[in-house]
Coordinates of all heavy atoms in Angstrom, one line a residue:
F1 N 152.6 197.2 167.9 CA 152.6 195.8 168.0 C 153.2 195.4 169.3 O 154.3 195.8 169.6 CB 153.3 195.2 166.8 CG 153.5 193.7 166.9 CD1 152.4 192.9 166.7 CD2 154.7 193.1 167.3 CE1 152.5 191.5 166.8 CE2 154.8 191.7 167.4 CZ 153.7 190.9 167.1
G2 N 152.5 194.6 170.1 CA 153.0 194.1 171.3 C 153.0 195.1 172.5 O 153.3 194.7 173.6
S3 N 152.6 196.3 172.3 CA 152.5 197.2 173.4 C 151.1 197.3 173.9 O 150.1 197.2 173.1 CB 153.0 198.6 173.0 OG 152.1 199.1 172.0
K4 N 151.0 197.4 175.2 CA 149.7 197.6 175.8 C 149.2 199.0 175.7 O 150.0 199.9 175.9 CB 149.7 197.2 177.3 CG 149.7 195.7 177.5 CD 149.6 195.4 179.0 CE 149.6 193.9 179.3 NZ 149.5 193.6 180.7
K5 N 147.9 199.1 175.4 CA 147.3 200.5 175.4 C 146.9 200.8 176.8 O 146.3 200.0 177.5 CB 146.1 200.4 174.5 CG 145.6 201.8 174.1 CD 144.5 201.6 173.0 CE 143.9 202.9 172.7 NZ 142.8 202.8 171.7
A6 N 147.3 202.0 177.3 CA 147.0 202.4 178.6 C 145.5 202.7 178.7 O 144.9 203.2 177.8 CB 147.7 203.7 179.0
A7 N 144.9 202.2 179.8 CA 143.5 202.4 180.1 C 143.2 203.9 180.4 O 143.9 204.5 181.2 CB 143.0 201.6 181.2
T8 N 142.3 204.4 179.7 CA 141.9 205.8 180.0 C 140.8 205.7 181.0 O 140.1 204.7 181.2 CB 141.3 206.5 178.7 OG1 140.2 205.8 178.3 CG2 142.4 206.6 177.6
P9 N 140.6 206.8 181.8 CA 139.5 206.8 182.9 C 138.2 206.3 182.3 O 137.5 205.5 183.0 CB 139.5 208.2 183.4 CG 140.9 208.7 183.1 CD 141.3 208.1 181.8
S10 N 137.8 206.7 181.1 CA 136.5 206.3 180.6 C 136.4 204.8 180.2 O 135.3 204.2 180.1 CB 136.1 207.2 179.4 OG 137.0 207.0 178.4
S11 N 137.6 204.2 180.0 CA 137.6 202.8 179.6 C 137.7 201.8 180.7 O 137.6 200.6 180.6 CB 138.7 202.5 178.5 OG 139.9 202.6 179.1
K12 N 137.9 202.4 181.9 CA 138.1 201.5 183.1 C 136.8 200.9 183.5 O 135.7 201.6 183.5 CB 138.6 202.3 184.3 CG 140.1 202.7 184.1 CD 140.6 203.4 185.3 CE 142.1 203.7 185.2 NZ 142.6 204.3 186.4
I13 N 136.8 199.6 183.8 CA 135.6 198.9 184.4 C 135.5 199.3 185.8 O 134.4 199.6 186.3 CB 135.8 197.4 184.2 CG1 135.8 197.0 182.7 CG2 134.7 196.6 185.0 CD1 136.2 195.6 182.5
N14 N 136.6 199.2 186.6 CA 136.6 199.5 188.0 C 136.7 201.0 188.2 O 137.7 201.6 187.9 CB 137.7 198.8 188.7 CG 137.7 199.1 190.2 OD1 136.8 199.6 190.8 ND2 138.9 198.8 190.8
K15 N 135.6 201.6 188.7 CA 135.7 203.1 188.9 C 135.8 203.5 190.4 O 135.8 204.6 190.7 CB 134.5 203.7 188.3 CG 134.4 203.5 186.8 CD 133.3 204.3 186.1 CE 133.1 204.0 184.7 NZ 134.2 204.0 183.8
K16 N 135.7 202.5 191.3 CA 135.7 202.9 192.7 C 136.4 201.9 193.7 O 136.6 202.3 194.9 CB 134.3 203.1 193.2 CG 133.4 201.9 193.2 CD 132.0 202.3 193.7 CE 131.2 201.1 194.1 NZ 130.0 201.4 194.7
I17 N 136.6 200.7 193.3 CA 137.1 199.7 194.3 C 138.6 199.7 194.4 O 139.3 199.4 193.4 CB 136.5 198.3 194.0 CG1 135.0 198.4 194.1 CG2 137.1 197.2 194.9 CD1 134.3 197.2 193.6
S18 N 139.2 200.0 195.6 CA 140.6 199.9 195.9 C 141.4 200.5 194.7 O 142.4 199.9 194.2 CB 141.0 198.5 196.1 OG 140.3 197.9 197.2
L19 N 141.1 201.7 194.3 CA 141.8 202.4 193.2 C 143.2 202.6 193.4 O 144.0 202.8 192.5 CB 141.0 203.7 192.8 CG 139.6 203.5 192.3 CD1 139.0 204.8 192.0 CD2 139.5 202.6 191.1
E20 N 143.6 202.7 194.7 CA 145.0 202.9 195.1 C 145.9 201.7 194.7 O 147.1 201.8 194.7 CB 145.1 203.3 196.5 CG 145.0 202.1 197.5 CD 143.5 201.7 197.7 OE1 142.6 202.3 197.1 OE2 143.3 200.8 198.6
K21 N 145.3 200.5 194.5 CA 146.1 199.3 194.2 C 146.4 199.2 192.8 O 145.5 199.6 191.9 CB 145.3 198.1 194.7 CG 145.1 198.0 196.2 CD 144.4 196.7 196.5 CE 144.1 196.7 198.0 NZ 143.2 195.5 198.3
E22 N 147.5 198.6 192.4 CA 147.9 198.4 191.0 C 146.9 197.3 190.4 O 146.5 197.4 189.3 CB 149.3 197.9 190.9 CG 149.8 197.7 189.5 CD 151.2 197.3 189.5 OE1 152.0 197.5 190.4 OE2 151.6 196.7 188.4
K23 N 146.5 196.3 191.3 CA 145.6 195.3 190.8 C 144.8 194.8 192.0 O 145.3 194.7 193.1 CB 146.5 194.1 190.4 CG 145.7 192.9 189.8 CD 146.5 191.7 189.5 CE 147.6 191.9 188.5 NZ 148.3 190.7 188.2
V24 N 143.5 194.7 191.8 CA 142.6 194.3 192.9 C 142.5 192.7 192.8 O 142.0 192.2 191.9 CB 141.2 194.9 192.7 CG1 140.3 194.4 193.9 CG2 141.3 196.4 192.6
V25 N 143.0 192.1 193.8 CA 143.0 190.6 194.0 C 142.3 190.3 195.3 O 142.8 190.9 196.3 CB 144.4 190.0 193.9 CG1 144.3 188.5 194.1 CG2 145.0 190.3 192.6
D26 N 141.3 189.5 195.4 CA 140.7 189.2 196.6 C 140.8 187.7 196.8 O 140.8 186.9 195.9 CB 139.2 189.5 196.6 CG 139.0 191.0 196.5 OD1 139.3 191.7 197.5 OD2 138.5 191.5 195.5
T27 N 141.0 187.3 198.1 CA 141.0 185.9 198.5 C 139.9 185.6 199.4 O 139.6 186.4 200.4 CB 142.3 185.6 199.2 OG1 143.4 185.9 198.4 CG2 142.4 184.1 199.6
C28 N 139.1 184.6 199.1 CA 137.9 184.3 200.0 C 138.2 183.0 200.7 O 138.6 182.0 200.0 CB 136.7 184.2 199.1 SG 136.1 185.7 198.4
D29 N 138.0 183.0 202.0 CA 138.1 181.7 202.7 C 136.8 180.9 202.5 O 135.7 181.5 202.7 CB 138.3 182.1 204.2 CG 138.5 180.8 205.1 OD1 137.6 180.0 205.1 OD2 139.5 180.7 205.7
I30 N 136.9 179.7 202.1 CA 135.8 178.9 201.7 C 134.8 178.8 202.9 O 133.6 178.7 202.8 CB 136.2 177.6 201.1 CG1 135.0 176.9 200.5 CG2 136.8 176.6 202.2 CD1 135.1 176.8 199.0
E31 N 135.4 178.7 204.1 CA 134.5 178.6 205.3 C 133.7 179.9 205.5 O 132.5 179.9 205.9 CB 135.3 178.3 206.6 CG 136.1 177.0 206.5 CD 135.2 175.8 206.3 OE1 134.1 175.8 206.8 OE2 135.7 174.8 205.7
D32 N 134.3 181.1 205.3 CA 133.6 182.4 205.4 C 132.5 182.5 204.3 O 131.5 183.1 204.6 CB 134.6 183.5 205.3 CG 135.5 183.6 206.5 OD1 135.2 183.0 207.5 OD2 136.5 184.3 206.4
M33 N 132.8 182.0 203.1 CA 131.9 182.1 202.0 C 130.5 181.4 202.3 O 129.5 181.9 201.9 CB 132.4 181.5 200.7 CG 133.6 182.3 200.2 SD 134.4 181.5 198.8 CE 133.2 181.7 197.5
F34 N 130.6 180.4 203.1 CA 129.3 179.7 203.4 C 129.0 179.7 204.9 O 128.4 178.7 205.4 CB 129.5 178.2 202.9 CG 129.6 178.2 201.4 CD1 130.9 178.0 200.8 CD2 128.5 178.4 200.5 CE1 131.1 178.0 199.5 CE2 128.7 178.3 199.2 CZ 130.0 178.2 198.6
K35 N 129.4 180.7 205.6 CA 129.2 180.7 207.1 C 127.7 180.9 207.4 O 127.0 181.4 206.6 CB 130.1 181.8 207.7 CG 129.7 183.3 207.4 CD 130.6 184.2 208.1 CE 130.4 185.6 207.6 NZ 131.4 186.5 207.9
G36 N 127.4 180.5 208.6 CA 126.0 180.6 209.0 C 125.1 179.6 208.3 O 123.9 179.7 208.4
G37 N 125.7 178.5 207.8 CA 124.9 177.5 207.1 C 124.4 177.8 205.7 O 123.7 177.1 205.1
S38 N 124.9 179.0 205.2 CA 124.4 179.4 203.9 C 125.0 178.4 202.8 O 126.1 177.9 203.0 CB 125.0 180.8 203.6 OG 124.6 181.1 202.2
L39 N 124.2 178.1 201.9 CA 124.6 177.2 200.8 C 124.9 177.9 199.5 O 125.1 177.4 198.5 CB 123.4 176.2 200.5 CG 123.1 175.3 201.7 CD1 121.9 174.4 201.4 CD2 124.3 174.4 202.1
K40 N 124.9 179.3 199.6 CA 125.1 180.1 198.4 C 126.0 181.3 198.7 O 125.8 181.9 199.8 CB 123.7 180.6 198.0 CG 123.7 181.2 196.6 CD 122.3 181.8 196.3 CE 121.3 180.8 195.7 NZ 120.1 181.4 195.2
C41 N 126.9 181.5 197.8 CA 127.8 182.7 197.9 C 127.7 183.5 196.6 O 127.9 182.9 195.6 CB 129.2 182.3 198.2 SG 130.4 183.7 198.3
V42 N 127.4 184.8 196.7 CA 127.1 185.5 195.5 C 128.2 186.6 195.3 O 128.4 187.5 196.2 CB 125.7 186.2 195.6 CG1 125.4 186.9 194.3 CG2 124.7 185.2 195.9
L43 N 129.0 186.5 194.3 CA 130.2 187.3 194.1 C 129.9 188.3 193.0 O 129.4 188.0 191.9 CB 131.4 186.5 193.7 CG 131.8 185.5 194.8 CD1 133.0 184.6 194.3 CD2 132.3 186.2 196.1
C44 N 130.4 189.6 193.2 CA 130.1 190.7 192.3 C 131.0 190.6 191.1 O 132.2 190.3 191.2 CB 130.4 192.0 193.0 SG 130.3 193.5 191.9
R45 N 130.5 190.8 189.9 CA 131.2 190.9 188.7 C 131.0 192.2 187.9 O 131.5 192.4 186.8 CB 130.8 189.7 187.7 CG 131.2 188.4 188.3 CD 131.1 187.3 187.2 NE 129.7 187.2 186.8 CZ 129.3 186.3 185.9 NH1 130.2 185.4 185.4 NH2 128.1 186.2 185.5
C46 N 130.3 193.1 188.6 CA 130.0 194.4 187.9 C 130.9 195.6 188.5 O 130.9 196.6 188.0 CB 128.6 194.8 188.1 SG 128.1 195.5 189.7
W47 N 131.6 195.3 189.6 CA 132.5 196.3 190.2 C 131.8 197.4 190.8 O 132.4 198.5 191.0 CB 133.6 196.8 189.2 CG 134.6 195.7 188.8 CD1 134.4 194.8 187.8 CD2 135.8 195.3 189.4 NE1 135.4 193.9 187.8 CE2 136.3 194.3 188.7 CE3 136.5 195.9 190.5 CZ2 137.6 193.7 189.0 CZ3 137.8 195.3 190.8 CH2 138.2 194.2 190.1
K48 N 130.5 197.3 191.1 CA 129.7 198.4 191.7 C 129.3 198.1 193.1 O 128.8 199.0 193.8 CB 128.5 198.6 190.9 CG 128.6 198.8 189.4 CD 129.2 200.1 189.0 CE 129.3 200.3 187.5 NZ 130.4 201.1 187.1
S49 N 129.5 196.9 193.6 CA 129.1 196.6 194.9 C 129.8 197.3 196.1 O 131.0 197.4 196.1 CB 129.2 195.0 195.2 OG 128.8 194.7 196.5
K50 N 129.0 197.7 197.1 CA 129.6 198.3 198.3 C 130.2 197.2 199.2 O 130.9 197.5 200.1 CB 128.6 199.1 199.0 CG 128.2 200.4 198.3 CD 127.3 201.3 199.2 CE 127.1 202.7 198.6 NZ 126.3 202.7 197.4
K51 N 129.9 196.0 198.9 CA 130.4 194.8 199.7 C 131.4 194.0 198.9 O 131.6 192.9 199.2 CB 129.2 193.9 200.1 CG 128.2 194.6 201.0 CD 127.2 193.6 201.5 CE 126.8 192.4 200.7 NZ 125.7 191.6 201.2
F52 N 132.0 194.6 197.8 CA 132.9 193.9 196.9 C 133.9 193.1 197.7 O 134.4 193.6 198.7 CB 133.6 194.9 196.0 CG 134.3 194.2 194.8 CD1 133.6 194.0 193.7 CD2 135.6 193.8 194.9 CE1 134.2 193.4 192.6 CE2 136.2 193.2 193.9 CZ 135.5 193.0 192.7
P53 N 134.2 191.8 197.5 CA 133.9 191.1 196.2 C 132.5 190.5 196.2 O 132.2 189.7 195.3 CB 135.0 190.1 196.2 CG 135.3 189.7 197.6 CD 135.1 191.0 198.3
F54 N 131.7 190.7 197.3 CA 130.4 190.1 197.3 C 129.3 191.0 196.6 O 129.5 192.3 196.7 CB 130.0 189.8 198.8 CG 130.9 188.9 199.4 CD1 131.9 189.4 200.3 CD2 130.9 187.5 199.2 CE1 132.8 188.5 200.9 CE2 131.8 186.7 199.8 CZ 132.8 187.2 200.7
C55 N 128.4 190.5 196.0 CA 127.3 191.2 195.3 C 126.3 191.8 196.4 O 126.0 191.2 197.3 CB 126.5 190.2 194.4 SG 125.0 190.9 193.7
D56 N 126.0 193.1 196.1 CA 124.9 193.7 197.0 C 123.7 194.1 196.2 O 122.9 194.9 196.6 CB 125.5 194.9 197.8 CG 125.8 196.1 196.9 OD1 125.7 196.0 195.6 OD2 126.2 197.1 197.5
G57 N 123.7 193.7 194.9 CA 122.5 194.0 194.1 C 122.7 195.3 193.2 O 121.8 195.6 192.5
A58 N 123.9 195.9 193.4 CA 124.1 197.2 192.7 C 124.1 197.0 191.1 O 123.9 197.9 190.4 CB 125.5 197.8 193.1
H59 N 124.3 195.7 190.7 CA 124.3 195.5 189.2 C 122.9 195.8 188.6 O 122.8 196.2 187.5 CB 124.7 194.0 188.9 CG 123.8 193.0 189.6 ND1 124.0 192.5 190.8 CD2 122.6 192.5 189.1 CE1 123.0 191.6 191.1 NE2 122.2 191.6 190.1
N60 N 121.9 195.7 189.4 CA 120.5 196.0 188.9 C 120.4 197.4 188.5 O 119.9 197.7 187.4 CB 119.4 195.7 190.0 CG 119.3 194.2 190.2 OD1 119.2 193.4 189.3 ND2 119.4 193.8 191.5
K61 N 120.9 198.4 189.3 CA 120.9 199.8 189.0 C 121.8 200.1 187.8 O 121.4 200.8 186.9 CB 121.3 200.6 190.2 CG 121.2 202.1 189.9 CD 121.6 203.0 191.1 CE 121.5 204.5 190.9 NZ 121.7 205.0 189.6
H62 N 123.0 199.5 187.8 CA 123.9 199.6 186.7 C 123.2 199.2 185.4 O 123.3 199.9 184.4 CB 125.2 198.8 186.9 CG 126.0 198.7 185.7 ND1 126.8 199.7 185.3 CD2 126.2 197.7 184.8 CE1 127.5 199.4 184.2 NE2 127.1 198.1 183.9
N63 N 122.6 198.0 185.4 CA 122.0 197.5 184.1 C 120.8 198.4 183.7 O 120.7 198.7 182.5 CB 121.4 196.1 184.4 CG 122.6 195.1 184.4 OD1 123.7 195.4 184.0 ND2 122.3 193.9 185.0
K64 N 120.0 198.9 184.7 CA 118.9 199.8 184.3 C 119.4 201.1 183.8 O 118.9 201.6 182.8 CB 118.1 200.1 185.6 CG 116.8 200.7 185.3 CD 116.0 200.9 186.6 CE 114.7 201.7 186.3 NZ 114.0 202.1 187.5
D65 N 120.5 201.6 184.4 CA 121.0 202.9 183.9 C 121.7 202.9 182.6 O 121.8 203.9 181.8 CB 122.0 203.5 185.0 CG 121.4 203.9 186.3 OD1 120.1 204.0 186.3 OD2 122.1 204.1 187.2
T66 N 122.4 201.7 182.3 CA 123.2 201.7 181.1 C 122.8 200.7 180.0 O 123.3 200.8 178.9 CB 124.6 201.2 181.5 OG1 124.5 199.8 182.0 CG2 125.3 202.0 182.6
G67 N 121.8 199.9 180.3 CA 121.4 198.9 179.3 C 122.3 197.7 179.3 O 122.2 196.8 178.4
D68 N 123.2 197.6 180.2 CA 124.1 196.5 180.3 C 123.4 195.3 180.8 O 122.2 195.4 181.2 CB 125.3 196.9 181.3 CG 126.6 196.2 181.0 OD1 126.6 195.2 180.2 OD2 127.6 196.7 181.4
N69 N 124.0 194.1 180.9 CA 123.4 192.9 181.3 C 124.2 192.1 182.3 O 124.1 190.9 182.3 CB 123.0 192.1 180.1 CG 124.2 191.5 179.4 OD1 125.3 192.0 179.6 ND2 124.0 190.5 178.5
V70 N 125.0 192.8 183.1 CA 125.9 192.0 184.0 C 125.2 191.5 185.2 O 124.2 192.1 185.6 CB 127.1 192.9 184.4 CG1 127.9 193.3 183.1 CG2 126.7 194.2 185.1
G71 N 125.8 190.5 185.8 CA 125.3 190.0 187.0 C 126.3 189.2 187.8 O 127.5 189.1 187.3
P72 N 126.0 188.7 189.0 CA 127.0 188.1 189.8 C 127.4 186.6 189.4 O 126.7 186.0 188.6 CB 126.2 188.0 191.2 CG 124.8 187.9 190.8 CD 124.6 188.7 189.5
L73 N 128.4 186.2 190.1 CA 128.8 184.7 190.0 C 128.2 184.1 191.3 O 128.5 184.6 192.4 CB 130.3 184.6 190.0 CG 130.8 183.1 190.2 CD1 130.3 182.2 189.1 CD2 132.3 183.1 190.3
I74 N 127.4 183.1 191.2 CA 126.7 182.5 192.3 C 127.4 181.1 192.5 O 127.4 180.3 191.6 CB 125.2 182.3 192.1 CG1 124.6 183.7 192.0 CG2 124.6 181.6 193.3 CD1 123.1 183.6 191.6
I75 N 128.0 180.9 193.7 CA 128.6 179.6 194.0 C 127.7 178.9 195.0 O 127.4 179.5 196.0 CB 130.0 179.8 194.6 CG1 130.9 180.6 193.5 CG2 130.7 178.5 194.9 CD1 132.3 181.0 194.1
E76 N 127.3 177.7 194.6 CA 126.4 177.0 195.5 C 127.1 175.8 196.0 O 128.0 175.2 195.4 CB 125.2 176.6 194.7 CG 124.3 177.7 194.3 CD 123.0 177.3 193.5 OE1 123.1 176.4 192.7 OE2 122.0 177.9 193.8
K77 N 126.7 175.5 197.2 CA 127.3 174.3 197.9 C 126.1 173.3 198.2 O 125.0 173.7 198.6 CB 127.8 174.8 199.3 CG 128.4 173.7 200.1 CD 128.9 174.4 201.4 CE 129.4 173.4 202.4 NZ 129.8 174.1 203.7
K78 N 126.4 172.1 197.8 CA 125.4 171.0 198.1 C 125.4 170.7 199.6 O 126.5 170.7 200.2 CB 125.6 169.8 197.2 CG 125.4 170.1 195.8 CD 125.5 168.8 195.0 CE 125.2 169.2 193.5 NZ 125.8 168.3 192.6
E79 N 124.3 170.4 200.1 CA 124.2 170.0 201.6 C 125.1 168.8 201.9 O 125.2 167.9 201.1 CB 122.8 169.8 202.0 CG 122.1 171.1 202.3 CD 120.8 170.9 203.0 OE1 120.8 170.5 204.2 OE2 119.8 171.1 202.3
Ligands
FES1 FE1 128.0 193.6 191.2 FE2 125.8 192.3 191.9 S1 126.6 194.1 192.7 S2 127.2 191.7 190.4

């Protein structure tokens, strides 16, 4: 009761991003998120992207390989 169960390697969601850190926290500058006039910023929620915290489409392979259904968070900006 009240004790946290330690994550085993097989139960970890994050298998490759900044594993040396105790906790992965990213800060995004809102100007950078929409640079170049882009009205959309796509953020990874599958922990597989090579451009983390941004989505690179790696979730598609993950979903195909595992039967999972994860996808990105899309932040849109109105003109
Ligand atoms: Fe992770 Fe797209 S690559 S959500």
